[in-house]
Amino acid sequence: MNQPKVNQPKSIDTSRLLAGFGVIFLFLILGQGVSRFFRLPVSGSVIGMVLLSLALGSGILPLTLVEDASKLLLQHLSLFFVPAGVGLLAYGPLLKENWMPIALAIVGGTMVTLLGAAGIHLLLLRNGRPTDHTEEV
Amino acid sequence: MENLIFLTGTLLVYALAQTVQLALGKGLHVPEERVFLRKLLGTISALFHPVLVSVLVIMVILSLTHTPYEEYAKGTEGLTFLLAPSVVALGVPLYREWTKLKAEMGRILVTVTFGSLVGIFSSVLPALFWGAPLEVIFSLAPRSVTTPIAMNIAQATGGVPSLTASVVVATGIFGAVAGPVVLALLGKVEASVFGLSMGVASHGIGTARTLEMGTQEGAYAALGLCLNGVLTSMLVPGILPLCLFPPR
């Protein structure tokens, strides 16, 4: 086995973990505030994500503070979607009458979107100029 | 009391589903030399996505016990609540890959804009041809973005937010399970191609799946999810009413 064992023996600093959760919630509140104040159609959590990465990038926030808390949340991100998924159960009649377009959108639409996004990005990568010529935003 | 049962049950079912998937992925106790059988088990393990398995198992249990969904939803509010901070936490992988992502931003924006439009119209057009009611069409339109954003959009345009939430999750599960298989059609692709398309097409659940592939792929997926959320929030209320009710 030649797996890198860099992160393995590190024990988790639980008080830093708690502080990390605090910081993440703080950015959620900030994001919600920004979203509400400017009446943006984007939800507070996404704005919070952007603000968090900006704070890390500018050096205001040290990565070590939020690293563990973010890892804990992201490792089991899919768990938090389970209740909403079970919610399909609550739409019996609406689903029964419209199951075909809904199924088409979920199965066909997702495949088309995957291939569409991957296809155009491949095209841009293969036909594009080298990275140092691309425009910066 | 009962509220606790729903939360506990969901956690246990999910943990069990994860263990089963892991065991299948490791090839159970099939000896190393039976390569084909181990490969087959590996493929099956991808189908045993813990969210898919948990959702199905819980649906069956709720139907059998005649438990209304509202009761279950109330009992598991805590889990749903953690969605929002998890989206914020995606800022960390985003920051980690930022220097690399910044240089490619032009290209990434083109891809996500295109992906967002494809995501919206691939849900709306079949529904329109099928003659689905408007509330269903507007519930389907934001299906490719993460739950909290999608529900906002549905609310703003006249969809049914909770129907949207369920369709969003179904999209995420389908993308997470089928995405790697569909993308394999294109041959071996770069981390950016894989991550962006997974993030754009299947939001958080696809991003969680992509994070298993590597941090780099995961960061592209997080960026795809984020930009797609922003773009779709503007595109659905902006252009969809114009397409459905063209001004004369």
Side-chain angles (χ1 to χ4, degrees), chain A residues 32-80:
Chain A
Q32 283 171 342
V34 170
S35 168
R36 239 167 253 164
F37 186 77
F38 294 103
R39 294 167 184 263
L40 300 177
V42 185
S43 75
S45 50
V46 169
I47 296 173
M49 177 210 300
V50 175
L51 291 178
L52 180 68
S53 65
L54 287 178
L56 288 167
S58 62
I60 301 171
L61 185 70
L63 177 63
T64 45
L65 191 61
V66 284
E67 205 174 16
D68 292 338
S70 131
K71 200 174 161 190
L72 190 65
L73 282 172
L74 293 182
Q75 243 165 13
H76 301 288
L77 175 61
S78 358
L79 166 67
F80 311 142

Side-chain angles (χ1 to χ4, degrees), chain B residues 81-106:
Chain B
F81 167 74
L82 285 173
L83 262 179
S86 302
V87 173
V88 175
L90 282 170
V92 172
L94 202 58
Y95 155 73
R96 282 221 172 99
E97 305 291 329
W98 188 246
T99 38
K100 190 163 183 296
L101 296 177
K102 205 169 66 182
E104 311 171 24
M105 205 38 111

Side-chain angles (χ1 to χ4, degrees), chain B residues 144-203:
Chain B
S144 299
V145 300
T146 193
T147 315
I149 308 179
M151 289 176 80
N152 277 2
I153 300 174
Q155 183 103 55
T157 51
V160 187
S162 40
L163 175 62
T164 298
S166 306
V167 175
V168 165
V169 175
T171 295
I173 295 173
F174 182 77
V177 173
V181 183
V182 173
L183 290 175
L185 292 175
L186 300 173
K188 179 127 182 63
V189 293
E190 287 83 349
S192 58
V193 176
F194 189 91
L196 279 177
S197 52
M198 287 291 277
V200 166
S202 53
H203 59 90

Side-chain angles (χ1 to χ4, degrees), chain A residues 75-135:
Chain A
Q75 243 165 13
H76 301 288
L77 175 61
S78 358
L79 166 67
F80 311 142
F81 287 99
V82 171
V86 177
L88 271 179
L89 206 59
Y91 297 97
L94 202 59
L95 273 184
K96 223 174 258 170
E97 279 160 39
N98 301 289
W99 68 272
M100 194 61 192
I102 293 177
L104 262 179
I106 291 169
V107 175
T110 307
M111 292 210 285
V112 170
T113 312
L114 272 165
L115 288 175
I120 195 163
H121 204 69
L122 269 178
L123 247 136
L124 290 171
L125 277 180
R126 305 276 150 92
N127 297 339
R129 286 164 287 172
T131 21
D132 49 331
H133 285 278
T134 46
E135 67 261 48

